[in-house]
Amino acid sequence: MLAQKPSLVVRLRTEDDVDACVEILKSVHSLDGYPVEGAAMARAWIASDAADLKAWVAELDGHIVGHAIVSRDQEGNAAADIWRNKHPDKAVAVLQRLFVSPAARKAGVGRKLIATAMSYSVQNDLQLVLNVMVKDTAAIRLYERMGWSCIVSATHHFGERQQMDAVCYAALANPSRNPTPQA
């Protein structure tokens, strides 16, 4: 008998999904140190604020295994500030709070969440940008495989005088050049 391929679905996040996302974030933080800030207040960090445009979860066989948000451009976000200064005529949005359960990695979850966010940005005429810590090499490889372009190196400041090297990326203007999401 042939094994069925797992069912991967990305849908809008609801309030009922936040507890599952908190548990996933705890495991991600424990394994990867992501996020460098916000894990201590995971619920508030995930649920975010009024700047959110859309928030999604990924389900694999009916279980939540990933999360992503697209937020409005906010002053002080390095990638958004760089893009806005060079391209003041284009509205900017930020892909953030993207994480995937360690148990679901290599199943296309991150790719599908990113593709969903990219599609949303294209449909809404938004330039999608993001910041990623240099230490998060797997995330960087995925963004680059999906056609994101590095726009600048930056320093991410957090906590009490803490900082970490980061890079800022922008999604390609032509999403048709991005690989098709795979489940």
Side-chain angles (χ1 to χ4, degrees), residues 64-146:
I64 295 173
V65 294
H67 179 269
I69 294 175
V70 170
S71 294
R72 288 181 183 85
D73 169 18
Q74 293 179 310
E75 194 79 25
N77 179 291
D81 290 347
I82 295 292
W83 193 268
R84 187 179 347 91
N85 289 336
K86 289 184 178 181
H87 308 279
D89 56 325
K90 179 78 172 177
V92 179
V94 181
L95 175 60
Q96 55 188 355
R97 289 160 176 61
L98 172 64
F99 54 91
V100 175
S101 167
R105 292 184 181 168
K106 306 289 185 198
V109 176
R111 178 178 288 277
K112 191 153 186 173
L113 283 163
I114 294 166
T116 299
M118 292 171 72
S119 178
Y120 171 82
S121 70
V122 169
Q123 291 169 4
N124 290 279
D125 198 28
L126 299 167
Q127 174 58 55
L128 196 57
V129 298
L130 61 83
N131 302 300
V132 61
M133 302 306 118
V134 170
K135 71 173 185 66
D136 296 324
T137 57
I140 290 170
R141 283 192 306 271
L142 177 58
Y143 296 131
E144 290 177 351
R145 280 194 313 265
M146 292 187 71

